[in-house]
Amino acid sequence: RGIIPYLKEDAKFLDGTESDESSTSSIEEDIARKSLVACVSGRVQRVDTLVSVVPVSGRYRGQVGDLVVGKIIEVGHKIWKVDIGATRYAILALSSVHLPNDAQRIRTRQDALAMRELFKEGDIIVAEIQMSRPDGPPQLQTRSTRYGRLSQGRLVQVGAHLIQRLPA
């Protein structure tokens, strides 16, 4: 993400901008035109006086509360690995899954052995991001009846930059 600082009326230089006699005129011309050029191409996003550019290319970075559609890649010990288009596979824990028949109980060894009855490799699911850390994979949950396996329809994959985040 490229960040463009906001220029005040009396500003001559941007913080951290190196200058010499030849570059002074071009920076002053940019200030006079009140235009800045970002070093990445993408969608301009403004928050108060901060202007940033969300790059066109890149992988999805999930935030808590995002609804995602993903594909089950691997079934492990009490977890599923889910491809949601992020830099790392998301983790769906057995304890974060809505059990059949609305069962609200502690997950047992029998539940762990029957994990492929809930979701198996290749299944397409919808889930919510429960936790997201910058140094680890996103954690998913499907504790509601709204979430789970998608059985009908077509999956269309698009780049993450084409999806605009809706205001909360």
Side-chain angles (χ1 to χ4, degrees), residues 70-144:
K71 183 178 182 179
I72 302 290
I73 299 299
E74 180 183 329
V75 180
H77 180 68
K78 295 188 179 181
I79 64 164
W80 291 271
K81 289 188 179 179
V82 184
D83 183 7
I84 60 171
T87 54
R88 300 173 84 174
Y89 290 144
I91 301 296
L92 176 62
L94 178 60
S95 60
S96 300
V97 172
H98 181 265
L99 292 176
N101 302 326
D102 294 328
Q104 296 290 327
R105 59 181 169 77
I106 296 174
R107 305 319 190 252
T108 62
R109 182 167 153 67
Q110 286 77 21
D111 292 329
L113 293 173
M115 284 177 58
R116 280 195 169 83
E117 293 176 13
L118 292 172
F119 305 122
K120 61 183 178 297
E121 290 90 344
D123 283 351
I124 305 297
I125 64 166
V126 62
E128 180 181 354
I129 296 183
Q130 182 180 27
M131 184 172 59
S132 180
R133 292 177 289 160
D135 61 339
Q139 305 286 322
L140 303 178
Q141 65 97 7
T142 60
R143 287 195 188 119
S144 172

Side-chain angles (χ1 to χ4, degrees), residues 10-166:
D10 59 346
K12 281 218 175 214
F13 299 102
L14 302 174
D15 290 339
T17 303
E18 294 182 16
S19 66
D20 59 13
E21 292 300 319
S22 62
S23 66
T24 304
S25 61
S26 64
I27 292 174
E28 288 175 351
E29 289 172 8
D30 286 345
I31 292 171
R33 288 193 310 252
K34 295 187 183 207
S35 68
L36 292 174
V37 178
C39 59
V40 294
S41 63
R43 193 177 74 241
V44 176
Q45 186 177 36
R46 295 177 185 209
V47 178
D48 294 328
T49 59
L50 177 70
V51 178
S52 60
V53 177
V54 179
V56 173
S57 63
R59 302 285 285 176
Y60 169 70
R61 279 190 249 157
Q63 295 180 1
V64 174
D66 284 357
L67 291 180
V68 294
V69 175
K71 183 178 182 179
I72 302 290
I73 299 299
E74 180 183 329
V75 180
H77 180 68
K78 295 188 179 181
I79 64 164
W80 291 271
K81 289 188 179 179
V82 184
D83 183 7
I84 60 171
T87 54
R88 300 173 84 174
Y89 290 144
I91 301 296
L92 176 62
L94 178 60
S95 60
S96 300
V97 172
H98 181 265
L99 292 176
N101 302 326
D102 294 328
Q104 296 290 327
R105 59 181 169 77
I106 296 174
R107 305 319 190 252
T108 62
R109 182 167 153 67
Q110 286 77 21
D111 292 329
L113 293 173
M115 284 177 58
R116 280 195 169 83
E117 293 176 13
L118 292 172
F119 305 122
K120 61 183 178 297
E121 290 90 344
D123 283 351
I124 305 297
I125 64 166
V126 62
E128 180 181 354
I129 296 183
Q130 182 180 27
M131 184 172 59
S132 180
R133 292 177 289 160
D135 61 339
Q139 305 286 322
L140 303 178
Q141 65 97 7
T142 60
R143 287 195 188 119
S144 172
T145 54
R146 298 181 347 177
Y147 312 132
R149 183 183 344 203
L150 296 176
S151 58
Q152 296 179 357
R154 290 190 181 186
L155 179 65
V156 178
Q157 293 181 329
V158 297
H161 67 281
L162 295 174
I163 308 297
Q164 287 195 353
R165 190 169 298 280
L166 297 175

